[in-house]
Amino acid sequence: MVKKIVFIQPTLAPYAKTRFEELAKDKQLDIYLLFEHKTLPHRKGWEVTPVKGCKTIVIGGHNLKSKVYKPELNAYIEGVRGIPYTIPKYLMNIKPDIVIVCNASQLLFVNSVKKILNFKTGIIVEDTIHATKGRSNLSKRLKKIALNLVDFYLPFSNDAIEYLHVNGINNSIYKTSWSMKTDLFYNDNEVSEIRRKIRSRHKLDNKVVFITLTQLIPRKGLKNLIESWNDSDNRLKSDAELLILGDGPEKEDLIELLVRRQIYNVQLLGNKSYTEVAEYLQASDIFILPTLEDLFSLSVMEAMASKLPVMTSIYNGARELIIESKNGYVFDSKSKEDTIKALNNMYSDKGRLNEMGNLSYEIISNYTDELVMRKLGNTLKGIK
């Protein structure tokens, strides 16, 4: 018997397309993708396009802008909350067996026809205890109520599972994860030429190259990273270079900091295409992401697929991929002392970079689209 599975998403993320295509290869599943928006203006490259094997529908709706102050970050986080009031109409036509949502707003409209159509509901859980600290008590209570209105849960990290437990959810939890096409980020036949090209362009010959990929915004922790970098071991400062790929409102502040502190071994390189990102990762030696808040950074997975050791913070759900001192280090990015210690430890391991990078690649090989989506497909077929 073929099961009709509906996923409701804000729009199509670039990395989600190959995941859904992989899931659709299971002929016992009929996949429908309902998107609230054709594109998202603040998300470059996020756009609904045909997904092989899936039925894609842009359902429309209404948007509400949100702005939440995070005192621990001393910054406002802006976002958009969709009101997808058209969901019931589409579900009545599809008559699904399972509907999977990713937020409470979607769930509200899904549940309005759940009893009529007699389907099961699941929710993708990315929230973590740390990431929800700044929410109001009312928001937390409403989310807890919403979590108790679904039949099963698909947490994307160990932190998300902990979040469910804190909210009293202990059953019907099926852990899944982000995944990727690892062959997009490393090619043995091309890496030597790519490294030569990038390193020559940026005068990186004989340097130990640290790289980060991130938005230039306060919650990514770049100011403290740069301060810590400048106060680290003198050998690191003379022998290493830090490349920062990305753009954002904090760019001018970071430039001012570099000039004021006379830091000359940090390069701000701006946004790069997906192809260029893969090349810069292959030209680097160590990936670092000092985020102050991240549900699960996909750039960590991309770096590991590029055979790089990884340094990231205790505030990143993707830290579960790091085996301390084996393929990287986890540190408190709010602490300058701890950040400096991690940088110095990583630099001291420069003789083991290939070994550490190979372990990263071995770990991430368990997170391919094929393996992760096959497991998810089996989970969905088992839902009664």
Side-chain angles (χ1 to χ4, degrees):
M1 177 181 175
V2 176
K3 275 190 173 181
K4 288 185 179 180
I5 312 293
V6 172
F7 288 87
I8 304 177
Q9 305 263 298
T11 192
L12 181 62
Y15 44 79
K17 182 172 182 174
T18 55
R19 287 165 53 86
F20 285 129
E21 289 178 341
E22 197 64 48
L23 183 62
K25 290 179 181 178
D26 191 324
K27 299 309 177 186
Q28 292 179 271
L29 301 176
D30 191 8
I31 308 297
Y32 290 77
L33 306 177
L34 304 189
F35 298 108
E36 297 178 40
H37 312 282
K38 174 73 173 176
T39 62
L40 290 178
H42 62 293
R43 294 279 194 175
K44 187 177 181 180
W46 291 43
E47 181 179 10
V48 176
T49 56
V51 180
K52 186 177 180 181
C54 302
K55 300 172 182 69
T56 60
I57 307 170
V58 178
I59 63 174
H62 183 69
N63 286 338
L64 291 177
K65 291 184 178 180
S66 64
K67 191 174 183 179
V68 179
Y69 179 69
K70 295 270 188 173
E72 69 274 16
L73 302 178
N74 191 30
Y76 284 93
I77 306 299
E78 296 185 357
V80 176
R81 172 63 71 187
I83 309 297
Y85 58 86
T86 59
I87 284 176
K89 177 181 73 173
Y90 287 97
L91 294 184
M92 291 295 290
N93 288 332
I94 296 170
K95 297 179 174 53
D97 297 293
I98 295 175
V99 178
I100 299 170
V101 302
C102 57
N103 61 52
S105 299
Q106 295 169 353
L107 183 63
L108 173 67
F109 293 100
V110 166
N111 277 348
S112 68
V113 292
K114 182 179 179 181
K115 286 188 177 179
I116 298 172
L117 298 175
N118 192 31
F119 54 74
K120 297 291 185 182
T121 53
I123 187 167
I124 292 170
V125 184
E126 296 183 74
D127 277 338
T128 68
I129 296 170
H130 176 72
T132 55
K133 276 183 179 178
R135 293 182 185 172
S136 67
N137 288 332
L138 175 60
S139 175
K140 290 178 180 177
R141 285 198 294 271
L142 290 174
K143 187 59 179 283
K144 188 171 184 177
I145 291 171
L147 287 172
N148 281 281
L149 295 176
V150 298
D151 299 301
F152 65 95
Y153 309 87
L154 298 172
F156 271 47
S157 68
N158 291 336
D159 281 357
I161 293 175
E162 182 184 12
Y163 171 78
L164 287 172
H165 291 334
V166 166
N167 281 280
I169 308 296
N170 296 294
N171 299 313
S172 301
I173 296 173
Y174 305 96
K175 188 188 178 188
T176 183
S177 66
W178 290 112
S179 61
M180 62 187 310
K181 293 184 75 65
T182 55
D183 57 352
L184 295 178
F185 288 90
Y186 194 88
N187 187 319
D188 282 317
N189 297 324
E190 299 177 0
V191 66
S192 295
E193 177 57 23
I194 289 172
R195 284 178 68 87
R196 186 202 62 76
K197 179 181 69 173
I198 299 292
R199 284 173 169 261
S200 175
R201 180 187 306 165
H202 296 287
K203 299 178 172 60
L204 300 172
D205 293 338
N206 303 317
K207 292 281 189 178
V208 177
V209 179
F210 290 70
I211 188 171
T212 188
L213 319 171
T214 184
Q215 292 175 284
L216 308 189
I217 55 178
R219 70 184 178 95
K220 295 302 182 178
L222 292 172
K223 282 187 177 180
N224 186 60
L225 172 61
I226 291 173
E227 293 276 9
S228 302
W229 176 270
N230 195 52
D231 292 336
S232 61
D233 190 297
N234 285 330
R235 292 174 302 166
L236 183 151
K237 289 191 290 185
S238 63
D239 193 31
E241 195 92 4
L242 172 61
L243 307 183
I244 299 176
L245 273 60
D247 208 344
E250 199 176 41
K251 180 178 180 179
E252 294 304 318
D253 289 343
L254 297 179
I255 292 174
E256 188 276 330
L257 173 61
L258 294 173
V259 172
R260 175 166 47 84
R261 293 295 300 273
Q262 297 183 322
I263 302 171
Y264 303 114
N265 59 348
V266 174
Q267 299 186 39
L268 298 176
L269 300 179
N271 281 330
K272 301 295 177 185
S273 69
Y274 210 55
T275 300
E276 289 174 316
V277 164
E279 291 182 344
Y280 274 88
L281 286 171
Q282 290 178 68
S284 301
D285 300 300
I286 299 156
F287 180 80
I288 182 167
L289 185 64
T291 180
L292 304 176
E293 180 186 301
D294 235 310
L295 301 178
F296 197 102
S297 172
L298 294 180
S299 61
V300 166
M301 301 182 76
E302 292 168 353
M304 294 174 69
S306 304
K307 294 191 175 182
L308 295 184
V310 171
M311 302 174 64
T312 195
S313 72
I314 60 175
Y315 310 109
N316 184 357
R319 71 185 185 282
E320 68 183 60
L321 301 175
I322 310 304
I323 303 174
E324 188 71 8
S325 81
K326 301 297 184 183
N327 73 311
Y329 289 93
V330 177
F331 60 98
D332 184 350
S333 55
K334 292 181 182 178
S335 165
K336 187 174 180 180
E337 180 182 359
D338 203 45
T339 303
I340 291 172
K341 179 182 176 182
L343 285 167
N344 290 338
N345 283 341
M346 191 75 253
Y347 177 75
S348 296
D349 283 330
K350 65 178 183 176
R352 297 197 300 121
L353 294 182
N354 286 339
E355 172 191 335
M356 298 174 81
N358 285 334
L359 179 56
S360 283
Y361 191 78
E362 182 181 329
I363 292 169
I364 209 64
S365 295
N366 294 310
Y367 292 82
T368 63
D369 288 345
E370 181 182 5
L371 292 177
V372 171
M373 300 315 279
R374 182 191 303 157
K375 179 182 176 184
L376 176 58
N378 288 336
T379 295
L380 296 177
K381 287 185 290 187
I383 298 292
K384 305 297 184 185

